[in-house]
């Protein structure tokens, strides 16, 4: 079967799209990755999603870096946490760094579920997931609404 036929929508509202290789997991550790333009800017969304995950019984870590950081040093910082889920927001300014990071991370941690969200995924993400194997799930819309559904599905 062609992988492009396996990309599926998780929710009726089509806000979560899964790649064909998405592994379901039990509750474990979620690492929220904030890739900012500088250390004076921070993604508030990740802090809110972290709170949601903790309420659902997941262990969490929040790791922030900038687009100017060394990708390999950033990879080492995240890898030592051995996350079950890695969540990141993609923006126009951090997308090249983020995808470079995620490709390397996924090669080292193939069983970690990588979920992406943010303004870069406002449209139909099925084509992106067919081409980009570094992400398992793409969330569209407000993370506060989408992320709890993902956590429930990941736990089942």
């Amino acid at each position: 079967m062609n992988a492009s036929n396996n990309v599926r929508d998780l929710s009726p509202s089509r806000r979560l799209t899964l790649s064909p290789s998405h592994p379901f997991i039990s509750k474990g550790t979620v690492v929220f990755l904030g890739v900012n333009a500088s250390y004076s800017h921070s993604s508030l969304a990740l802090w809110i999603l972290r709170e949601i995950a903790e309420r659902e019984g997941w262990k969490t870590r929040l790791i922030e870096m900038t687009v100017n950081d060394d990708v390999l040093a950033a990879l080492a910082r995240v890898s030592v946490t051995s996350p079950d889920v890695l969540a990141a927001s993609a923006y126009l300014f951090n997308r090249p760094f983020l995808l470079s990071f995620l490709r390397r991370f996924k090669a080292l941690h193939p069983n970690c579920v990588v979920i992406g969200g943010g303004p870069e995924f406002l449209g139909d993400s099925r084509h992106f997931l067919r081409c980009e194997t570094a992400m398992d799930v793409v969330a569209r819309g407000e993370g506060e609404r989408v992320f709890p559904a993902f956590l429930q599905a990941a736990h089942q």
Side-chain angles (χ1 to χ4, degrees), residues 140-152:
R140 186 180 68 197
E142 299 83 9
E144 298 87 343
R145 293 183 183 174
V146 178
F147 200 63
F150 163 75
L151 292 174
Q152 287 179 344

Side-chain angles (χ1 to χ4, degrees), residues 18-39:
L18 302 178
S19 79
S21 62
H22 171 72
F24 287 90
I25 57 169
S26 60
K27 289 185 182 179
T29 301
V30 181
V31 170
F32 295 93
L33 179 64
V35 180
N36 304 308
S38 70
Y39 279 109

Side-chain angles (χ1 to χ4, degrees):
M1 182 181 284
N2 184 326
S4 64
N5 294 331
N6 292 335
V7 174
R8 63 188 173 98
D9 292 316
L10 179 63
S11 64
S13 64
R14 299 180 61 137
R15 291 183 179 266
L16 283 173
T17 306
L18 302 178
S19 79
S21 62
H22 171 72
F24 287 90
I25 57 169
S26 60
K27 289 185 182 179
T29 301
V30 181
V31 170
F32 295 93
L33 179 64
V35 180
N36 304 308
S38 70
Y39 279 109
S40 63
H41 300 104
S42 184
S43 174
L44 297 178
L46 296 177
W47 291 90
I48 293 168
L49 297 179
R50 180 183 185 183
E51 179 66 27
I52 290 170
E54 288 176 352
R55 286 185 195 166
E56 295 289 327
W58 292 76
K59 297 175 206 152
T60 66
R61 295 277 314 266
L62 193 137
I63 299 175
E64 293 189 276
M65 59 193 63
T66 75
V67 294
N68 299 316
D69 287 353
D70 178 69
V71 173
L72 296 180
L75 187 60
R77 285 180 57 202
V78 176
S79 290
V80 298
T81 65
S82 299
D84 298 296
V85 175
L86 180 65
S89 290
Y91 299 90
L92 185 61
F93 69 86
N94 75 358
R95 185 177 171 140
F97 178 94
L98 183 63
L99 290 178
S100 174
F101 172 90
L102 291 176
R103 288 178 191 125
R104 291 177 171 127
F105 178 83
K106 195 65 170 175
L108 294 172
H109 304 277
N111 294 325
C112 179
V113 178
V114 177
I115 180 170
E120 288 295 292
F121 298 112
L122 292 177
D124 187 346
S125 300
R126 289 177 286 190
H127 176 73
F128 173 82
L129 286 172
R130 284 185 205 110
C131 298
E132 185 56 65
T133 60
M135 278 194 200
D136 299 300
V137 183
V138 171
R140 186 180 68 197
E142 299 83 9
E144 298 87 343
R145 293 183 183 174
V146 178
F147 200 63
F150 163 75
L151 292 174
Q152 287 179 344
H155 180 61
Q156 294 175 353

